[in-house]
Amino acid sequence: HRFAILAGVAAISLGQLAPLRLRVGASAVQMAWGEAAIIVACVWLPAALVPVSVLVGVTIAHVARSIFMVRRPANAVVFNIVQLTVAGCLATAAVTAINPSYEVRLDAHTIVALCAGAVAWFATSGYLVACRLVAGGQSEKVGSTFRAMVGSRLIMLVGNMALGLLIVWAQYTNVWFLLFLPPLLWLLHQFYGHRLRGDDERKTWQEFAEATRGLNRLDERDAASAGITGALSLFRAT
């Protein structure tokens, strides 16, 4: 299993590179390709080895990103590693409970199981991020924060699941198709980025309109308070 483990760790690590920024309230969170990576890992590895590969893979990716790309506090790196490892455990459990997928060719039951695992990863990681934002005072309610992330990331979930299933399909049918994977990933990255920027711009204009309406008050103290609140929201300040 050594080659399979190395391949699984590599898939998880690559899935955490080139993340996209998603604005949530006054903060921004990093969203990567975890759903596609967990689908591939659940097919390449026995269920017992998937969480270990997730732990090693995300540790390598996030430590490397913190050193070579954007330096982040150690507690943020540790939280991301723990959060994604928990998501990997629950995703593996979901796949195994429906239909074990290790070295299994794609059929209806396997596709349903792998998609359920991807959804479990998506929901768990998103919910834990929402909890962290609320605990850090960067958002008010876990439920509303989680729903905002789900709404913005739903297209990414569908695309990442399709990408993961496509990689598995190519492995069993025509491995040369994987040569087209880099340009496909680039196109998906551009598409996701465009969608997220559009959502971010729409939210900014909505917040600007709400802040402007809040200034229409007769009392000077209320108008000043509304202006400060609107500025904090618009400029993502704490």
Side-chain angles (χ1 to χ4, degrees):
H1 296 306
R2 291 182 180 177
F3 178 76
I5 293 173
L6 290 175
V9 169
I12 297 294
S13 296
L14 291 174
Q16 295 302 307
L17 298 178
L20 293 160
R21 291 174 61 85
L22 171 64
R23 182 180 177 185
V24 182
S27 183
V29 297
Q30 301 280 347
M31 294 298 175
W33 306 77
E35 295 83 12
I38 198 66
I39 286 176
V40 173
C42 285
V43 175
W44 287 357
L45 296 172
L49 295 180
V50 175
V52 178
S53 297
V54 171
L55 173 60
V56 175
V58 299
T59 299
I60 293 172
H62 283 270
V63 170
R65 278 172 49 191
S66 181
I67 294 174
F68 299 108
M69 297 179 185
V70 179
R71 187 170 296 277
R72 294 175 299 164
N75 61 338
V77 175
V78 171
F79 174 84
N80 285 333
I81 294 171
V82 173
Q83 161 217 341
L84 294 174
T85 302
V86 171
C89 292
L90 294 180
T92 306
V95 174
T96 305
I98 297 173
N99 188 60
S101 58
Y102 174 52
E103 292 187 341
V104 174
R105 289 182 177 272
L106 287 182
D107 57 21
H109 291 93
T110 306
I111 291 174
V112 169
L114 292 172
C115 289
V119 171
W121 172 288
F122 172 84
T124 303
S125 59
Y127 184 79
L128 291 177
V129 168
C131 292
R132 185 193 66 179
L133 292 177
V134 172
Q138 297 168 301
S139 189
E140 295 181 357
K141 295 181 180 180
V142 173
S144 59
T145 304
F146 176 67
R147 287 193 296 272
M149 284 194 292
V150 169
S152 297
R153 281 206 66 211
L154 200 56
I155 189 68
M156 289 183 66
L157 170 64
V158 175
N160 288 354
M161 287 194 300
L163 177 64
L165 294 173
L166 185 63
I167 293 172
V168 174
W169 171 84
Q171 173 191 351
Y172 289 119
T173 56
N174 187 357
V175 71
W176 292 106
F177 183 81
L178 295 177
L179 294 175
F180 295 97
L181 191 58
L184 178 60
L185 287 172
W186 182 83
L187 288 173
L188 279 175
H189 190 274
Q190 296 300 311
F191 173 70
Y192 291 160
H194 177 74
R195 285 294 301 267
L196 291 177
R197 285 191 297 271
D199 288 344
D200 191 18
E201 183 176 346
R202 176 177 52 80
K203 291 175 183 176
T204 299
W205 281 111
Q206 288 176 346
E207 291 173 0
F208 179 76
E210 292 172 2
T212 304
R213 284 196 299 269
L215 295 175
N216 189 24
R217 299 168 185 257
L218 296 177
D219 183 78
E220 181 178 339
R221 183 178 296 273
D222 290 344
S225 177
I228 292 173
T229 303
L232 290 174
S233 176
L234 280 172
F235 297 107
R236 307 180 191 179
T238 57

